[in-house]
Amino acid sequence: MSIETLSLAPIYLPLLGAALILVCKSFFPTKIRRLAEYMGTILGLGLPPVIVLFLYPTLQQQGSIDLVIGSYAPSIGINFSFDGLSILMILLAACVTIPTWIYSRKVGPAHSNFTALVLIQNAAISAISMTSDLFNLFVCLEVMGVVAYVLIASSQKGNAVHASFSYLMFSSSAMVFFLLGVFGLYRLTGSLSYDGITQGLAGLGPSEQKTALFSLVLLVVPILLRVAVMPLSLWLIDAHSKAPHAVSALLSGVLLKIPLFALIRVLHLTPLASGMGLPISWAGTITALVAVLSALAQSDAKKLLAYHSISQIGYVVSAWGLALHTGLETQAGALLLAASLFHAFSHALFKALLFLSIGTTTDCSGNRDVYTLRGANHRLRQEGEVLPLTMLCYFIAALSITALPPFNGFFSKTLLTYSLKGGWQYAILSVAGAGTVASFMKLSRIFLPSKQPFEPIVKESLPRFPFTLHLGLSILAALCVLTGIFAPNLIFFIGTLLGGAYALDYGNQFFFSASNLLKTLYTLFGGIALFALAVSKPGSKVLYRLKAMKSSFSDLFLGFAAAIAALLLMLLQH
């Protein structure tokens, strides 16, 4: 097998695994179907990360593995390029998908259709990470989106189906504009490949450059909607809060980040796109702050986590946009992109763990209201959990997202805010960090002892805590700890894969410097003060009004139109 064929394994192996599962489900008895499901999972989830790491030495030598599907000429074929960014995106998906699938085995959705859909989703993610063709990127994004719609509705509850349909309407409508942007660039350059578009854009006149800018804006804004940057993020709340817990973990951990980092491969090829970076960074920074305040106002535990998904992606987008504006070929740009990727990776792990641990806890308690639920760990014991592993995993994830050492969130947020130091983004994100501490103090109160006696549970109705549930949680918790302990090595690995000319060598002496530890301490005390304000009468009134704010389909598209107009005006002035 050639190295080019092997580089496509993360795409075709999950598809083969999904095909095996679906064929055996249709034509064979139960025992063979179960065997096929596990074989397909090993083939589609287990092997791709192993192959990706096997190809790492080749990438160090060559920089990338380029190929054209079907042996066509590059000008008319579908171009793929397997590079360091591909490795990072595939590994990010694997690190969340594998433990989440293990968790779902007995908890749900525990059926072969779910496994097949997860495999198709991972194949689409791998294709997105490798494609060098703009139309193929559109197709792969749509495949990933269609799988997400089905997964959200997989609980077969009315509210989940409605959330899935809303996501379908928002996302598909926005992607029409993405397709118009593809058409605009193709009309100007006569090419759909990234290299061909880059060469075509280089020779445009002033009037044609304005058309190219408009086409690029039509590419960027739908991706920002998929990524859930405000004011394009309101679809996410119902989708994440009403989906099954395993699906919520996949949506927040993986699907929010992949389109953003796929787009950087398109935008950094042309200097026309650099002007977008600054307003995108501003939008990400404001998103981080507004979403964390909205999270603090929530009473539903999963809605609180959904708003935090938006807030944390704001951190990622803030550094991502500034990296694009600064230039990826510069030392500052390389640091910003690496910090953005590292925080995206850290967020994927701790947010997946939060959704799974809180989902398990609220299911056992029969209550998702953070104001009334107390004694959650006692309820978990009543439901059959011997060791408090669910609570322990929750607190590992909570300490990670609040950026306390030695967990991964401390290292990724410290690096990200350091890379933004000197700009107003640094101050806003520091305030957002205090808001994160406050909202997780609020959420963590569900584990305080209850003043009310618990109703006894009939023994026959006691659900068991299967080994797979605890294994999935434990893997994610271990990754949150390990990626913190080995954060300097991981940062260096990310910098190497991105192919930057500047080494990103940040050791523990940098992270545990007096200034960084003081900043962490200030953020912690600021969060405590904000929590005290939030639970006071004046603070409660403000948060109640914030929670009462509703949005509709028309509001989102008004925001979509405003985002396109604002970004275009800024670019034309630039």
Side-chain angles (χ1 to χ4, degrees):
M1 182 180 293
S2 68
I3 200 73
E4 289 81 9
T5 304
L6 193 61
S7 68
L8 291 175
I11 300 175
Y12 61 73
L13 286 181
L15 293 177
L16 287 174
L20 175 66
I21 292 169
L22 295 176
V23 168
C24 291
K25 179 186 177 182
S26 301
F27 299 104
F28 292 96
T30 303
K31 288 185 178 180
I32 295 179
R33 282 185 289 179
R34 288 178 179 173
L35 179 62
E37 184 175 1
Y38 284 104
M39 288 180 62
T41 304
I42 293 170
L43 187 68
L45 289 185
L47 284 182
V50 174
I51 292 172
V52 159
L53 293 175
F54 173 77
L55 292 172
Y56 174 62
T58 303
L59 285 187
Q60 285 185 306
Q61 296 175 358
Q62 298 181 201
S64 65
I65 301 171
D66 302 314
L67 66 155
V68 182
I69 301 299
S71 300
Y72 290 100
S75 59
I76 60 173
I78 298 176
N79 297 270
F80 280 85
S81 180
F82 181 80
D83 56 14
L85 187 58
S86 304
I87 289 183
L88 290 172
M89 293 167 71
I90 293 168
L91 289 180
L92 184 151
C95 287
V96 175
T97 304
I98 292 173
T100 300
W101 179 84
I102 293 171
Y103 170 93
S104 73
R105 287 297 75 209
K106 299 293 183 181
V107 179
H111 48 72
S112 55
N113 286 343
F114 173 74
T115 303
L117 287 168
V118 167
L119 292 174
I120 294 170
Q121 175 187 274
N122 274 28
I125 290 169
S126 299
I128 289 168
S129 73
M130 284 188 263
T131 183
S132 295
D133 180 282
L134 201 53
F135 184 77
N136 196 44
L137 175 63
F138 166 79
V139 172
C140 295
L141 286 171
E142 283 299 275
V143 171
M144 188 176 73
V146 168
V147 173
Y149 312 147
V150 178
L151 287 174
I152 292 168
S154 60
S155 66
Q156 299 180 353
K157 297 178 181 178
N159 51 8
V161 173
H162 180 266
S164 174
F165 180 74
S166 298
Y167 179 28
L168 167 66
M169 293 298 295
F170 293 145
S171 179
S172 297
S173 300
M175 289 305 286
V176 171
F177 292 90
F178 184 96
L179 193 57
L180 289 173
V182 173
F183 170 74
L185 291 178
Y186 179 72
R187 187 170 179 271
L188 288 171
T189 65
S191 178
L192 291 171
S193 71
Y194 296 168
D195 290 338
I197 290 172
T198 303
Q199 294 171 9
L201 291 177
L204 296 181
S207 61
E208 292 174 320
Q209 283 190 352
K210 291 181 180 180
T211 305
L213 279 174
F214 183 64
S215 299
L216 288 170
V217 169
L218 292 179
L219 295 181
V220 170
V221 177
I223 294 298
L224 294 180
L225 184 142
R226 283 280 184 99
V227 173
V229 174
M230 286 189 168
L232 308 174
S233 57
L234 300 176
W235 61 268
L236 178 143
I237 306 306
D238 284 344
H240 284 208
S241 62
K242 295 177 180 177
H245 308 316
V247 176
S248 298
L250 292 175
L251 289 174
S252 181
V254 181
L255 267 65
L256 286 186
K257 289 92 174 175
I258 296 300
L260 184 69
F261 292 109
L263 193 63
I264 198 74
R265 299 181 66 184
V266 183
L267 296 182
H268 90 278
L269 295 174
T270 170
L272 294 176
S274 63
M276 296 185 191
L278 202 55
I280 290 174
S281 178
W282 296 342
T285 305
I286 294 169
T287 295
L289 180 61
V290 174
V292 79
L293 295 176
S294 299
L296 193 56
Q298 299 307 306
S299 58
D300 184 286
K302 284 193 72 174
K303 283 189 175 182
L304 185 150
L305 293 180
Y307 273 107
H308 267 289
S309 293
I310 300 173
S311 178
Q312 295 301 309
I313 205 66
Y315 282 82
V316 174
V317 171
S318 182
W320 183 93
L322 203 55
L324 182 64
H325 176 72
T326 306
L328 304 184
E329 70 284 352
T330 65
Q331 184 175 12
L335 172 60
L336 284 160
L337 184 60
S340 177
L341 269 163
F342 183 35
H343 190 61
F345 190 83
S346 297
H347 173 255
L349 297 175
F350 60 63
K351 183 49 67 68
L353 183 56
L354 281 168
F355 270 115
L356 298 183
S357 58
I358 284 295
T360 302
T361 302
T362 54
D363 283 352
C364 289
S365 303
N367 185 3
R368 285 167 52 166
D369 192 324
V370 299
Y371 293 109
T372 60
L373 175 57
R374 294 293 182 270
N377 190 53
H378 181 77
R379 178 64 75 184
L380 289 167
R381 288 200 305 271
Q382 275 195 315
E383 291 281 320
E385 186 175 48
V386 178
L387 298 174
L389 285 175
T390 302
M391 183 178 70
L392 176 63
C393 290
Y394 162 76
F395 278 107
I396 288 174
L399 292 172
S400 296
I401 195 173
T402 51
L404 294 178
F407 304 102
N408 57 4
F410 166 75
F411 296 92
S412 62
K413 279 192 177 180
T414 298
L415 183 66
L416 190 145
T417 52
Y418 169 79
S419 67
L420 293 167
K421 207 165 187 177
W424 65 272
Q425 294 98 325
Y426 176 83
I428 296 296
L429 292 182
S430 297
V431 175
T436 303
V437 173
S439 56
F440 276 90
M441 289 181 66
K442 174 180 176 177
L443 179 59
S444 299
R445 290 187 302 171
I446 68 174
F447 292 100
L448 292 175
S450 175
K451 296 180 181 179
Q452 301 295 329
F454 289 100
E455 296 182 4
I457 299 176
V458 181
K459 188 174 182 180
E460 287 75 15
S461 67
L462 275 175
R464 300 300 177 191
F465 279 77
F467 172 74
T468 52
L469 182 151
H470 281 153
L471 179 60
L473 292 177
S474 299
I475 291 173
L476 286 168
L479 288 173
C480 287
V481 176
L482 291 173
T483 52
I485 294 173
F486 297 101
N489 307 84
L490 185 55
I491 293 166
F492 184 80
F493 178 66
I494 290 172
T496 303
L497 285 175
L498 292 177
Y502 306 96
L504 299 174
D505 191 7
Y506 292 88
N508 285 323
Q509 66 276 10
F510 164 75
F511 290 103
F512 291 102
S513 66
S515 60
N516 284 330
L517 291 177
L518 277 174
K519 179 182 177 297
T520 301
L521 196 60
Y522 294 151
T523 302
L524 181 61
F525 284 130
I528 295 171
L530 184 58
F531 172 74
L533 179 63
V535 296
S536 66
K537 285 187 178 180
S540 299
K541 289 181 180 179
V542 172
L543 293 178
Y544 178 79
R545 291 181 180 179
L546 185 61
K547 181 186 173 184
M549 295 174 64
K550 302 294 183 182
S551 63
S552 64
F553 187 86
S554 58
D555 294 330
L556 184 64
F557 270 88
L558 177 61
F560 186 84
I564 291 177
L567 191 54
L568 192 59
L569 284 173
M570 289 180 184
L571 286 172
L572 291 175
Q573 289 177 356
H574 177 77

